[in-house]
Amino acid sequence: MPDEFLDRVFQGTDDQQRYRKRQLEHVSHRRSVLDDIEIERLIAWGQAQPDPQVWQVLANGLSVFTPSGDSDRVRLADGCIQFLEASPNPVDVLNGYAEQITPNGWSGSRADIMKRNTDALRVLLEHENQAIHEAARQVIAQARTWETHERAREKEADEAKERSFE
């Protein structure tokens, strides 16, 4: 049934498609609906589609980051590299992964979570496929900018709390 499910996401009016695509996106307090579909099946479905943009939509819906065993670190989830390697445009897939660098829900420092997730992408800098290597370099550079802005925002918020406490 995954093929019929995925076909349905990309059918209907623009509003219906937009709503269904949003339902695929990973949300921190629940599992992604794509987690139950084998990565090989997602790849085969994506390869059968005439529109290469489906790959970024699927990338947005994959659970990209998973605990590495060490409580402070994460790694790319199983299948994410395989999905990336099979895609016709690695930049689109990595942009989909990048949307998950910033957490939707969190406790502690949001910037620290962003750094941890960005660090998990560093493994792609050593990838033999030059397109994947270059796309990873660009996404990581952009993510570092987001992290820097978030650290500045957190610092400003902490200083405002200190001023109000005094």
Side-chain angles (χ1 to χ4, degrees):
M1 181 142 161
D3 293 352
E4 292 84 8
F5 168 77
L6 292 169
D7 289 341
R8 179 101 168 117
V9 170
F10 296 92
Q11 294 173 347
T13 67
D14 287 344
D15 285 341
Q16 289 171 326
Q17 287 183 43
R18 195 171 15 262
Y19 173 77
R20 292 177 189 139
K21 289 174 186 177
R22 294 283 304 165
Q23 296 306 307
L24 288 183
E25 291 178 3
H26 180 73
V27 178
S28 63
H29 65 276
R30 66 176 170 83
R31 285 175 23 107
S32 169
V33 296
L34 297 181
D35 287 348
D36 294 327
I37 302 174
E38 294 175 2
I39 200 71
E40 293 82 7
R41 189 126 191 208
L42 286 175
I43 290 169
W45 183 86
Q47 290 171 335
Q49 302 309 304
D51 182 4
Q53 290 300 312
V54 300
W55 289 85
Q56 185 170 358
V57 173
L58 295 178
N60 287 349
L62 292 173
S63 296
V64 177
F65 304 106
T66 188
S68 71
D70 178 0
S71 64
D72 293 340
R73 303 194 69 200
V74 296
R75 63 178 175 79
L76 291 179
D78 295 337
C80 285
I81 293 176
Q82 184 181 356
F83 185 81
L84 176 64
E85 291 171 339
S87 72
N89 188 351
V91 173
D92 288 344
V93 171
L94 279 173
N95 283 332
Y97 292 176
E99 291 189 25
Q100 294 182 46
I101 289 172
T102 303
N104 290 330
W106 70 94
S107 64
S109 169
R110 187 175 186 201
D112 287 348
I113 295 169
M114 293 167 71
K115 179 183 183 334
R116 183 186 71 189
N117 291 344
T118 302
D119 287 348
L121 293 175
R122 292 184 57 78
V123 69
L124 298 174
L125 293 175
E126 298 172 14
H127 200 281
E128 62 189 28
N129 181 322
Q130 192 60 32
I132 291 174
H133 168 85
E134 184 58 29
R137 190 186 64 71
Q138 291 172 11
V139 166
I140 290 169
Q142 181 63 46
R144 295 290 184 220
T145 301
W146 299 338
E147 178 191 336
T148 300
H149 290 298
E150 182 60 24
R151 285 205 189 281
R153 190 202 62 75
E154 287 177 356
K155 182 179 178 187
E156 188 175 301
D158 288 345
E159 289 171 354
K161 283 181 190 176
E162 278 293 317
R163 285 191 301 273
S164 68
F165 180 72
E166 293 170 357

